[in-house]
Amino acid sequence: MKRRKLHNYVLLNLLLALFLTIGIHEVLTIGGFARLNEDTVTSDGFRRQTLNEEFLNYIQNTKDPGKDLGLYLLETDFGKKPLKTVPDKQVLYEMEKKWAGREGWDAYLAQCRGIWNDVRYFPIPEPAGSKDYGTSFVDSWMFERSYGGKRGHEGTDIMAKENTRGLYPVVSMTDGVVRHKGWLEQGGWRLGIVAPGGTYFYYAHMDSYADIEEGDTVRAGDLLGYMGDTGYSKTEGTTGNFPVHLHVGIYIFHGEEEISVNPYWVLKYLENRKIKCVY
């Protein structure tokens, strides 16, 4: 009889623990809290950085766009569903109460700030002269590329209206330290700069460099070099395999893993923040 009671007691507790686990998981799922964990920044939804024009306009005037954008992504399931209200300080405050302090929040917030809070200028200056040397770009995140085998496009291409290599200056979007300089088969002449928040900003297919070397410190707006059409070759200096443009890449680090993030909306955020330059 005692053994039967003990067996029933153990079984009851196991069932209770199971129901509690299922219940907690269900609560997390219904509330969307399962979106936030230590690996959130590796998810396709986070990497795509989807937002809309309304929220883009809102963060233009906020002091902490990384935090606000991070909250927006969590609340909208990474852009899959719209906000129920117009974004304002109170709406963001309520979001922060919901998400801040949960497991994984601090690391997630640091990555969001690293992507958004260090950027200052659009990488191609506005011409100060009368000639219209315009640029254009679209959201080509993960569009198919075939050179070197099929792969997704991990960046945004800023295309030159005037298809002339060496004409358009390229400036640093952020403060930072030059981590990489030199030739890559796919990227041609490229620079990689690590911003203060730890995010890596990558500029590729350049025609030439400014007086800059690996290890140098740069400030946002400093000249990095000039837009070109280098790359898609093992032979250094190869040009002409595609139109003149600047490939911009953004990468974060999660442990030992390097993760690409869509630059499109960051560039849209900076589109009206251009240095004026004579060229």
Side-chain angles (χ1 to χ4, degrees):
M1 184 65 70
K2 288 183 178 180
R3 285 184 177 179
R4 182 176 296 175
K5 286 183 178 181
L6 179 61
H7 177 268
N8 290 341
Y9 177 77
V10 171
L11 181 60
L12 180 63
N13 277 277
L14 286 172
L15 289 172
L16 180 61
L18 177 62
F19 288 136
L20 283 172
T21 301
I22 293 173
I24 291 170
H25 176 74
E26 195 67 23
V27 168
L28 290 173
T29 301
I30 292 172
F33 298 123
R35 296 170 202 151
L36 180 60
N37 56 67
E38 63 180 12
D39 295 321
T40 293
V41 297
T42 68
S43 68
D44 290 339
F46 177 84
R47 293 175 63 209
R48 186 169 288 277
Q49 293 282 292
T50 300
L51 62 154
N52 58 29
E53 295 286 348
E54 181 181 49
F55 200 79
L56 178 68
N57 291 335
Y58 174 77
I59 62 173
Q60 290 287 353
N61 300 307
T62 62
K63 294 181 179 179
D64 196 348
K67 183 180 73 173
D68 293 343
L69 191 279
L71 290 167
Y72 170 88
L73 290 177
L74 290 173
E75 193 67 19
T76 62
D77 195 7
F78 304 101
K80 293 178 183 176
K81 57 184 184 181
L83 282 179
K84 296 178 181 178
T85 58
V86 175
D88 59 27
K89 287 184 178 180
Q90 185 60 35
V91 169
L92 270 293
Y93 175 71
E94 294 299 326
M95 287 187 202
E96 188 171 0
K97 284 200 303 183
K98 175 179 177 179
W99 292 102
R102 292 191 172 274
E103 186 175 353
W105 167 253
D106 289 341
Y108 171 81
L109 177 60
Q111 296 283 28
C112 292
R113 283 174 167 164
I115 296 166
W116 287 86
N117 287 17
D118 287 332
V119 293
R120 294 288 179 270
Y121 298 114
F122 192 77
I124 308 301
E126 178 182 346
S130 58
K131 179 115 180 177
D132 178 18
Y133 294 118
T135 59
S136 62
F137 60 97
V138 298
D139 189 355
S140 60
W141 179 249
M142 288 299 155
F143 281 18
E144 186 177 298
R145 294 291 187 268
S146 59
Y147 180 84
K150 287 186 178 181
R151 54 192 169 83
H153 185 227
E154 294 186 344
T156 298
D157 291 334
I158 302 176
M159 308 303 297
K161 182 177 179 180
E162 291 282 332
N163 190 42
T164 303
R165 65 179 69 105
L167 173 62
Y168 292 76
V170 177
V171 300
S172 182
M173 298 160 65
T174 68
D175 295 347
V177 176
V178 179
R179 173 76 61 83
H180 296 119
K181 174 190 175 184
W183 184 264
L184 285 180
E185 180 180 350
Q186 290 181 352
W189 297 120
R190 79 10 173 142
L191 277 171
I193 293 172
V194 179
T199 300
Y200 183 81
F201 290 83
Y202 172 77
Y203 308 83
H205 308 310
M206 297 176 68
D207 178 69
S208 59
Y209 297 116
D211 185 13
I212 192 170
E213 301 295 340
E214 290 183 1
D216 286 355
T217 298
V218 298
R219 301 299 299 267
D222 281 356
L223 179 67
L224 301 179
Y226 292 85
M227 190 191 293
D229 57 348
T230 58
Y232 279 25
S233 174
K234 291 182 171 64
T235 304
E236 291 191 15
T238 298
T239 61
N241 285 328
F242 38 71
V244 171
H245 71 281
L246 177 71
H247 171 100
V248 175
I250 297 178
Y251 296 84
I252 59 175
F253 299 92
H254 180 62
E256 298 298 316
E257 188 178 2
E258 183 180 84
I259 301 164
S260 58
V261 174
N262 187 6
Y264 175 76
W265 285 103
V266 175
L267 290 170
K268 290 289 286 183
Y269 172 72
L270 295 171
E271 201 167 15
N272 294 321
R273 304 180 187 206
K274 295 179 180 178
I275 293 174
K276 283 198 173 183
C277 180
V278 176
Y279 62 99

